[in-house]
Amino acid sequence: MTEARLLWANGVIRGDDTPVVDGAVVVDAAGTVLDVGPAAEVMPRSAGAVVEKVAGVLCPGLVNAHTHL
């Protein structure tokens, strides 16, 4: 997996499902979300991605400023 980054965070809000504690988001070089979920599940599927630990909560895919959390 080239030029992909795995953002490993304290939490991930998926928007269409329950929030994930200790979650991960994988994005490509253009910022397109490739995978989202629990870090224990996403990390093995993303071998070769650069891992970046993020302190906080990620909200991938929520691009509308009017989105209700």
Side-chain angles (χ1 to χ4, degrees):
M1 182 175 280
T2 59
E3 298 188 36
R5 290 188 317 149
L6 186 145
L7 305 172
W8 180 13
N10 300 87
V12 176
I13 297 176
R14 296 186 278 192
D16 62 346
D17 206 346
T18 57
V20 177
V21 175
D22 192 30
V25 177
V26 180
V27 295
D28 66 12
T32 302
V33 176
L34 304 175
D35 198 0
V36 178
E41 295 176 13
V42 173
M43 291 177 99
R45 294 193 297 252
S46 303
V50 175
V51 177
E52 181 180 335
K53 183 66 173 158
V54 177
V57 177
L58 298 174
C59 302
L62 300 180
V63 295
N64 182 343
H66 186 251
T67 299
H68 294 261
L69 297 176

